Amino acid sequence: VSSPRLGGLAGTVRWAIVPFSPRPPFRLYAGEGHAPIPVSDPATLVASARQGGDSEFTYLVPGKARPVLVLSEPPSAHHQELTALRLLRLSKVGAAEQDRIRRQEDPLLFHLDPGRFDLPDESAAMVSALVRIHVGALHGEAFGALNPKELRVLGERIIGFYGFDTSLLVARKIQELAARRRRRDEER
Amino acid sequence: VSKIVSERRDSSTARVPAVAAGEAIVFTRYDEEKTVVMHPDDFRRLSELDADLTEVTAGRAELSELTLEAHRLEDTPGTPVEDPERIKALLGL
């Protein structure tokens, strides 16, 4: 999760074209006038790749235009992909569940206050639904944006859900803080 | 190394110097740090800190029934529109 910056993408909710993850049976585009070629499992495709063919196929994967919560800025001019979370429309779940989400009682569903996010439907960001999106697949102005504190909370939940081991990172940060404090004490 | 695994040995099996609390002796070989001897209290404190750090940075949030339902609703592909005329009509092409 990037720190939000003025005019940046991180923390904003925007329209995006979001594909679903490829899953069997895979369908390979076979050109105009031909039906897609179905492949029932990954083994056939992996076996072909192992033979060193390095063939690239066009997989027909369903996708949807939908609002997403963008988590990061594109890393560079040459790498224009960013991470985002899919949203859950609250109208799709029952009234009791909606209230739970509004009270932020489910750590994996981050409620987006309709007073701040002018979305077509009241929504919550799904912490467990991380997707990669190309910047070129985003469209339009932001529906709203999280503040730095909210984005930090969300980042913590994402790390927690995916089980990323941050102990070395935390230990290094503690050591850096301790060193900084020692330096300050020595300067006084 | 994510966790310090310690092994107990009787001190009569090696010549290990005693170290006061808050101090450590760093043994070197060819200018490289090889072994550190420290007071048992300091070692226990470090081990506890290490264990605490592992505990506070670990732990995975479980998927609730509601989150699983959210995935079923928003993460499962429906029936894609694949009829050319219908696609053109929907997109105004």
Side-chain angles (χ1 to χ4, degrees):
Chain A
V1 178
S2 303
S3 301
R5 61 177 168 76
L6 200 62
L9 296 170
T12 63
V13 176
R14 294 167 184 272
W15 280 110
I17 309 303
V18 186
F20 289 96
S21 306
R23 61 191 80 184
F26 304 104
R27 294 194 309 151
L28 307 186
Y29 178 67
E32 275 183 49
H34 294 87
I37 296 172
V39 181
S40 61
D41 61 67
T44 311
L45 298 159
V46 172
S48 158
R50 277 192 174 140
Q51 284 167 6
D54 198 25
S55 301
E56 210 167 279
F57 302 107
T58 299
Y59 291 78
L60 297 175
V61 174
K64 220 172 176 176
R66 61 195 308 166
V68 294
L69 170 59
V70 180
L71 296 171
S72 59
E73 302 295 335
S76 76
H78 300 291
H79 183 27
Q80 290 281 290
E81 284 189 358
L82 37 80
T83 49
L85 297 178
R86 293 182 201 277
L87 306 186
L88 166 71
R89 285 163 284 180
L90 264 62
S91 59
K92 289 197 155 191
V93 296
E97 286 79 15
Q98 290 183 21
D99 284 343
R100 274 190 60 198
I101 295 169
R102 288 190 189 103
R103 290 195 299 267
Q104 298 280 18
E105 286 179 2
D106 194 316
L108 299 183
L109 294 168
F110 192 97
H111 182 239
L112 302 169
D113 181 356
R116 291 171 52 204
F117 293 87
D118 192 20
L119 283 156
D121 293 288
E122 184 180 1
S123 301
M126 296 166 62
V127 170
S128 53
L130 199 57
V131 290
R132 282 169 66 204
I133 294 172
H134 194 277
V135 169
L138 294 174
H139 176 75
E141 295 297 310
F143 290 107
L146 295 180
N147 64 38
K149 192 182 166 197
E150 290 167 324
L151 204 51
R152 216 169 285 149
V153 169
L154 202 54
E156 189 185 327
R157 291 186 190 179
I158 292 166
I159 289 169
F161 173 73
Y162 286 97
F164 298 135
D165 187 344
T166 55
S167 49
L168 284 178
L169 176 70
V170 172
R172 196 162 54 241
K173 293 291 174 195
I174 291 170
Q175 285 164 358
E176 282 173 17
L177 281 173
R180 206 174 280 194
R181 190 172 168 179
R182 271 198 303 276
R183 275 200 302 276
R184 276 200 200 120
D185 288 347
E186 285 164 9
E187 285 165 11
R188 280 181 194 136
Chain B
V1 180
S2 59
K3 190 184 175 193
I4 300 171
V5 179
S6 62
E7 179 194 330
R8 294 181 79 86
R9 287 189 194 179
D10 194 290
S11 62
S12 63
T13 60
R15 294 171 66 85
V16 183
V19 182
E23 291 177 8
I25 300 174
V26 181
F27 288 91
T28 61
R29 185 173 172 83
Y30 303 119
D31 286 337
E32 288 206 3
E33 293 178 350
K34 192 182 175 199
T35 306
V36 179
V37 180
M38 61 172 60
H39 190 273
D41 287 351
D42 289 335
F43 176 71
R44 269 191 286 275
R45 187 169 49 84
L46 281 177
S47 296
E48 279 170 15
L49 272 173
D50 187 53
D52 288 346
L53 183 62
T54 304
E55 200 177 308
V56 297
T57 54
R60 190 171 177 169
E62 295 292 323
L63 284 168
S64 63
E65 285 299 317
L66 178 54
T67 316
L68 286 171
E69 175 70 357
H71 276 283
R72 194 187 63 73
L73 293 165
E74 299 285 7
D75 238 3
T76 312
T79 308
V81 181
E82 297 191 340
D83 173 62
E85 296 309 315
R86 177 111 175 93
I87 293 172
K88 284 179 190 168
L90 281 168
L91 301 180
L93 299 174

